[in-house]
Structures are given as C-alpha cells and as structure tokens.
Amino acid sequence: MPETHSRRRAALRALLQEAELEALLVTDLLNIRYLTGFTGSNAALLVHTGGEEHTVFCTDGRYTTQSAAEVPDLERILDRSSAQALAARASADAGRYRLSGFESQHVSVDQFDALKTQFGGVELRRAPGLVEDLRLTKDEQEIDALRQACAAADRALADLIEHGGLRPGRTELEVARDLENRMLEHGSTGRSFDSIVAAGANSAIPHHRPTSAVLAAGDLVKMDFGATADGYHSDMTRMVVLGKPAAWQQEIYDLVQRAQAAGCEAVLPGVDVADVDKAAREVIVAAGHGPEFAHGLGHGVGLEVHEAPSLAATGVGTLSAGMAVTVEPGVYLAGRGGVRIEDTLVVRDGFPELLTLSTKELVVV
Ligand code: ZN
Ligand code: ZN
C-alpha cells in the first residue's frame, strides 16, 4: 500500500536528519522493497530529506510496467545502471545535494568507485543499517504477512502427517519435497529456505541437508522449514518419532521443550537479547547438555529469514514490541540423534504472540 511505504520513507527521513545526512542512496533490493513495494531485481532509490517530491526511484526498462504499478507514488527513471544514474542525478542538482549517505554494508569497493565518480561534487558518507533499523520493528501489515506464512507451514505439516507422509521407507528428500509442495498448496509463494529433513542419526546435524537416506522405524525426524507470504518468511522446526520413542529420545525432547518454553517466556519488550538466550540455555546446561547446544537461540525474521536481532550470548541490544524472532534451542547427540524445537514469535507487551501453532508435543507416527 502506497501510504505504508510513504510512512516508512518519512521514518527514514527522520533517521537521516538525526544522522545529519541530506539524502540516502538505497541500493539493497530488500530495503528498496520495504520502502517502495518494488519486487524486481534491479533498482535504486534516492531518499531526500526535502520530501517525497525530491525522492527518486530508478529501475531498468524490463520493469517499466511493473514499477508503474508497484511504485506509483514516486518519480521514476529508467536506467540499467540504476545506482549510478541516481548518483548522476544528485550531482546535477548540486544545490540540493551536498552530502549523501550510502549503504556501505551493501556496496562493493568497485561499486563505490563508480558511485564516487558519478556523484561528482556530492560528499558521500557511509550510512550502514539505517533501513535495517526500521525493519527491526514490524508494523501490523508485516506481522499479518508473517502470520500467513507461518499458517501455510502449519497446514503443510498437518497435511503431511495426516496423509501418512512420514513413514519408514521414504527418503529425507521425498519428505522435504512433499512438505514444500504442501506449503505451496496452502498459499506459500515459495519455500523460505532449503528445508531441513533429518532422520535418525542425521537429526543430530543441526543444518543437515536432506539426502536419499531412508526413514526407519524408531527414528527421530527433524523438520526445519518455512513458507513465504508477500516476501515475508516463516521458520519452524518440529520433531516426529516413527513409532514409540526410546527413553533417551523422550528425555532430550522433554529437555528441549522445557528450554524452548523458558526462551519463549523471556521474549518481552526491554529484555536484553543475550538474556533470552540465557533463559533457554541455562535449562539445557543444568541438565548437563550445554556443549550439545552449540548455536544461538534464535534470530529475527522478516523480509529475510535470518535478520536482526540475533538472540545469542554474543547478541547486542534489547527486544521491543513488534520485533519478530525465532526461539530454537536444540540438543544434538552426535551419532544418535538430536532435537530442536523452533517457533516464530512476535514481541508484544505482556506476552509474545506465537505465529507457528503446530503442536510442540513429540508427534508419534
Ligand atoms: Zn528454522
Ligand atoms: Zn531459525
């Protein structure tokens, strides 16, 4: 919706003023999508603190029709070298542009050299992470897209289980494809990332890629997957056991479930991200499995499946209402099997909103 994008650009202008920049050249495509709604593969955006009438969008001729529909509310120019074209435009309007920021975390050294030439007399200053700062906190429209993506993943998993998609004799790859097809059937526009389906001892590999390994009776099966809606991602991990769980399987499952609940309870505005990690981790450490939980607790989710904030011991910052994060502790017993349980949640005042609603009991099939 144009008013959403216009509101986001106004918020960015406030950040630019704080940073004493007259303008920002936005070159990251996801940041451009966030600020304009454009979904093509080549674009640049020059946001000027002077207002919408001095803010210019550029893409190339392939996107003439698409950009007219997606970005009806800004001046549009067509040029294959979109960032350089906007730099040249700023240079030609030297009265208005004396100093412009650029997204230094997304620009290569070669691109920087080309931009510097095109910007001419305009002073360029590094301005990393400004749009990402805005993207940290989701508005209700974004949360709705996340909710839809999570719902598609929930329904796909329910279908898979109901239709006997998890059974001895199937391969990890077959299960992964089945799950992905079911997500598409339930409205996902694509998979959020390469799905993880890991059976038996493979479940002890945190980021196992599905193989032709065959599911066998007694296996723990770990599935970490996500759907997308309107560019937003979901991320969920659930466990199934093929037949009655062995005592050790149930034991690590219960432990991870308790740690996951403790992590989710800590997801509140004002809480330090490192303390959320700690809340879940200390449950696992107390049970003597600390070394077998060798990754961070979670991450932000939005236009990227992994984005800020990082919920880890090394993470910096505090949560605030509207952030969308995962909580995904795991215990991995090499050579035997592992358990991870992962939800996507939205930070709210009071208690978090859970977006991934599939049961967190160990599913026995
Ligand atoms: Zn995941
Ligand atoms: Zn994740």
Side-chain angles (χ1 to χ4, degrees):
M1 276 184 280
E3 49 284 17
T4 304
H5 301 121
S6 162
R7 179 165 37 78
R8 292 174 187 168
R9 292 191 293 267
L12 177 61
R13 284 192 191 95
L15 291 186
L16 294 180
Q17 266 154 356
E18 261 172 49
E20 295 179 345
L21 293 165
E22 282 172 343
L24 179 70
L25 178 67
V26 184
T27 51
D28 176 70
L29 284 169
L30 289 177
N31 287 345
I32 292 168
R33 179 174 186 161
Y34 178 78
L35 293 170
T36 67
F38 180 68
T39 58
S41 67
N42 174 27
L45 176 72
L46 191 59
V47 177
H48 196 279
T49 49
E52 293 284 80
E53 63 273 32
H54 305 301
T55 293
V56 193
F57 171 86
C58 183
T59 183
D60 66 64
R62 292 171 297 166
Y63 294 113
T64 309
T65 311
Q66 182 179 326
S67 65
E70 290 180 338
V71 195
D73 50 346
L74 288 177
E75 180 189 349
R76 275 172 294 117
I77 56 177
L78 298 174
D79 193 302
R80 233 187 137 61
S81 303
S82 46
Q84 290 179 49
L86 292 182
R89 166 73 173 259
S91 170
D93 195 358
R96 201 178 311 282
Y97 294 89
R98 285 172 301 273
L99 175 67
S100 178
F102 70 105
E103 298 190 293
S104 50
Q105 83 279 30
H106 295 302
V107 171
S108 74
V109 176
D110 286 353
Q111 286 164 342
F112 176 71
D113 285 346
L115 282 181
K116 218 170 150 187
T117 307
Q118 293 294 337
F119 264 110
V122 181
E123 190 192 330
L124 270 182
R125 195 179 288 169
R126 288 170 188 233
L130 293 177
V131 187
E132 283 84 348
D133 281 350
L134 295 176
R135 280 171 48 192
L136 266 175
T137 309
K138 275 68 181 172
D139 57 37
E140 288 306 319
Q141 193 181 323
E142 295 179 281
I143 292 170
D144 203 48
L146 289 166
R147 206 180 276 125
Q148 283 179 42
C150 290
D154 278 332
R155 292 191 191 117
L157 179 62
D159 264 10
L160 181 79
I161 293 169
E162 194 182 314
H163 289 92
L166 290 161
R167 58 176 185 270
R170 280 197 120 186
T171 68
E172 293 171 341
L173 275 168
E174 281 167 349
V175 172
R177 279 193 213 112
D178 194 349
L179 196 50
E180 288 170 5
N181 287 334
R182 290 176 195 277
M183 286 196 286
L184 294 174
E185 283 166 19
H186 286 290
S188 173
T189 38
R191 62 183 180 195
S192 186
F193 53 92
D194 290 345
S195 308
I196 295 171
V197 174
N202 288 342
S203 61
I205 303 167
H207 274 191
H208 174 72
R209 299 179 72 102
T211 64
S212 52
V214 175
L215 276 58
D219 277 355
L220 275 173
V221 183
K222 179 181 70 195
M223 291 168 286
D224 185 352
F225 59 102
T228 54
D230 198 22
Y232 287 80
H233 297 76
S234 79
D235 193 1
M236 173 169 80
T237 309
R238 289 294 186 267
M239 303 294 309
V240 158
V241 63
L242 304 182
K244 194 180 177 309
W248 70 270
Q249 291 171 329
Q250 190 70 55
E251 194 182 307
I252 58 168
Y253 191 88
D254 292 346
L255 174 63
V256 173
Q257 194 178 20
R258 276 194 290 124
Q260 209 263 350
C264 289
E265 273 168 36
V267 171
L268 287 167
V271 176
D272 200 296
V273 291
D275 288 338
V276 185
D277 179 280
K278 194 175 161 202
R281 194 171 301 276
E282 61 193 14
V283 174
I284 292 173
V285 169
H289 285 295
E292 284 130 7
F293 174 23
H295 56 73
L297 182 68
H299 51 85
V301 192
L303 286 169
E304 290 172 278
V305 67
H306 292 119
E307 56 180 44
S310 169
L311 270 53
T314 52
V316 180
T318 54
L319 295 178
S320 49
M323 287 181 175
V325 297
T326 68
V327 171
E328 47 179 309
V331 169
Y332 310 95
L333 308 180
R336 297 179 77 191
V339 168
R340 175 165 69 247
I341 304 172
E342 173 181 27
D343 280 319
T344 300
L345 316 104
V346 177
V347 184
R348 300 282 196 190
D349 292 320
F351 49 87
E353 178 184 350
L354 184 64
L355 300 186
T356 41
L357 301 175
S358 298
T359 180
K360 279 183 275 185
E361 296 307 315
L362 178 58
V363 175
V364 179
V365 295

